Amino acid sequence: MSTPTVRAFVLTAPGEASVQEVPAPVAVPGEVVVDVERVGVCGTDIEFFTGEMTYLHEGHSAYPMRLGHEWAGTVSAVGDGVDRSWLGRRVMGDTMLGDRTCRACRRGAQHVCAHRQEVGIRGGRPGALAEQLAVPAWSLHALPDAVDAVLGALVEPGGNALRAAQAAGVGPGDRALVLGPGTIGLLAAMFLRAAGAEVHVMGLGAESLAFARSLGFPHAWTEATLPDEPFDAVVDASNAVHLPALALDVVQPAGRVVYIGIAGEPSTIDTRTLLLKDVTAVGVLSASPALDDTIAAYAGGAVDPRPLVAATVGLDRVGAVLAGERIEGAGPGPKTHVDPRGA
Ligand SMILES: [Zn+2]
């Protein structure tokens, strides 16, 4: 008798990947198996492909790896102890899988559990770039009919962006600046706009700024053209080493700076500026606490992230996407989606 297999994208070394037949995941007690319908590729995946990802060097992750942490699908099997009503439900799942026992977990911060696995990222937990995925039932979030698989796979990045927007603490009459118009930056801009703020965006290239304008953000600037206007909050969603300090420089006194981007080397800020301006600084890691609010925002139409998806490809094209190859017919958005059921 042969073991059932599924197709999965396997990263074996920096720059080395292939689609392989791997043993089909099994629903062990407490877990479910999901038939994956859509997966987003993000900057973290690219860092694993290039070998730059910090977790590789800290021992949290090792090749071979199965990537994919922005996903949506349908539950096809449940393990012992799992509510059978999950069967057939459309879901997305939390990337962060805390151990559920430590102090951080007990205090509601399982996303920063020191012993956590991260789906497709850390601790050997296989990711969603495959036909099927196994995850703990407790990490699931049901998707309403109004949130299809495309939107469902955008809940994870959306949750990160929503937390950044919430931390900015702005509303009607306020002005916010987002540094770095990638997926997270543009999603944060959308959530800030939904909160009523006037949103400005700062980026590097004419193309990305033109795309931001096409999404209804006319205040799109380069660092050189950034106007000398008061910003009540600044969200750094870039990977530029110097922008955390710029965020602190341009924010208004008593304003807020939010750090959700990450550079390849330490960024420094002058804490004298922080306290002399009475600024609140917030760091954001992970979407976990905001997943349900993100699903609600998408379902109600307060935020529509669909234009961010430039192309949808099959598993066979993931290596090319991670290598930065241009996908034929791709739109101007920053996000590539994968349909593991496709060719
Ligand atoms: Zn824990």
Side-chain angles (χ1 to χ4, degrees), residues 4-99:
T5 62
V6 295
R7 295 171 74 236
F9 177 80
V10 184
L11 183 58
T12 45
E16 281 184 31
S18 59
V19 178
Q20 300 179 9
E21 291 286 340
V22 302
V26 175
V28 300
E31 299 203 356
V32 304
V33 171
V34 175
D35 291 349
V36 182
E37 289 162 23
R38 205 59 109 236
V39 193
V41 175
C42 94
T44 302
D45 301 318
I46 292 170
E47 288 183 22
F48 278 117
F49 187 77
T50 61
E52 289 162 39
M53 175 61 182
T54 310
Y55 285 175
L56 289 166
H57 309 288
E58 291 176 346
H60 294 306
S61 315
Y63 304 111
M65 284 194 70
R66 304 251 303 270
L67 301 176
H69 60 276
E70 303 175 357
W71 59 268
T74 298
V75 176
S76 58
V78 300
D80 284 349
V82 176
D83 185 344
R84 290 185 60 79
S85 72
W86 279 115
L87 279 169
R89 295 283 291 281
R90 299 178 48 258
V91 295
M92 63 78 59
D94 199 335
T95 301
M96 302 305 208
L97 305 178
D99 64 6

Side-chain angles (χ1 to χ4, degrees), residues 97-106 109-110 112-116:
L97 305 178
D99 64 6
R100 313 259 285 165
T101 60
C102 76
R103 187 169 188 274
C105 286
R106 282 186 280 111
Q110 65 91 18
V112 290
C113 171
H115 313 113
R116 71 184 181 274

Side-chain angles (χ1 to χ4, degrees), residues 34 51 67 99 147 151 171 207 209 211 252 259-260 314 326 330 336 343:
V34 175
L67 301 176
D99 64 6
V147 178
L151 288 174
E207 253 177 73
L209 294 178
F211 181 63
Q252 281 290 289
Y259 297 121
I260 191 166
R326 197 179 147 66
T336 302

